[in-house]
Amino acid sequence: MAQIVELLASPVHRFEGRPSDGPAPAPGGELVDAVRVRAGLGVVGDRFFGQEAHRDASVTVIAREWLPDGAGLAQVRRNVLVEGIPVDDLVGSVLTLDSGDGPVRLRVRRPAHPCAWMDVSIRPGAWRELRGHGGVRCVPLDDGVLRVGPVSFSVSADD
């Protein structure tokens, strides 16, 4: 059964400068049990919410199946960690998630490529391991709420 494993809404960038400098400290409360999503804007409270440069990629989703053991959203800096959904195969489609508060449609625009920070935040070699499986960048098409726990999902063609 598919599920949302973790949710992240972080108001700050942690990967700035060079990976050798290490990430900035994580703010408290960035891993949450629920997030509010706004159509065209992203995850409320997230660093990319409503930013013009990120309008076509304001929500990021990654599959747990590809993460090394012990890694989660705090390390990869995506918004939604799912299990049982092949998100990397969905570019060009619409992914609908419903965790109990109604459907939230996400237009899957492009891959979310991993960066060299993965070798620092997860472990050496993680950047290479995650190539092709770094998740996807999406545009939310609906306002709604996503929660940690079981989730129903469907995939449709992008209109």
Side-chain angles (χ1 to χ4, degrees):
M1 171 157 63
Q3 65 175 329
I4 295 175
V5 179
E6 284 185 320
L7 293 164
L8 181 137
S10 183
V12 299
H13 295 275
R14 292 190 55 221
F15 297 162
E16 295 183 318
R18 292 181 255 229
S20 61
D21 298 334
E30 67 178 9
L31 291 173
V32 294
D33 292 330
V35 293
R36 178 164 297 285
V37 177
R38 296 277 314 278
L41 298 173
V43 174
V44 175
D46 190 69
R47 63 207 177 278
F48 297 123
F49 180 79
Q51 291 195 13
E52 188 64 36
H54 296 280
R55 287 276 169 100
D56 72 335
S58 60
V59 176
T60 53
V61 183
I62 190 167
R64 181 182 198 173
E65 289 82 355
W66 292 103
L67 291 183
D69 289 341
L73 294 180
Q75 289 76 36
V76 296
R77 311 306 293 163
R78 306 293 189 247
N79 299 115
V80 183
L81 177 61
V82 296
E83 187 172 68
I85 304 172
V87 297
D88 296 304
D89 300 333
L90 303 181
V91 173
S93 63
V94 174
L95 170 64
T96 302
L97 300 173
D98 189 339
S99 57
D101 291 284
V104 176
R105 292 176 304 139
L106 302 170
R107 177 174 287 128
V108 183
R109 301 286 292 174
R110 64 182 191 262
H113 299 294
C115 65
W117 279 97
M118 300 303 100
D119 286 348
V120 174
S121 67
I122 298 173
R123 70 165 190 263
W127 178 22
R128 179 164 287 163
E129 292 170 23
L130 287 171
R131 286 186 186 159
H133 305 290
V136 291
R137 298 188 182 280
C138 307
V139 175
L141 302 176
D142 304 300
D143 290 352
V145 174
L146 296 175
R147 298 184 184 282
V148 170
V151 65
S152 61
F153 76 97
S154 63
V155 178
S156 59
D158 189 7
D159 296 335

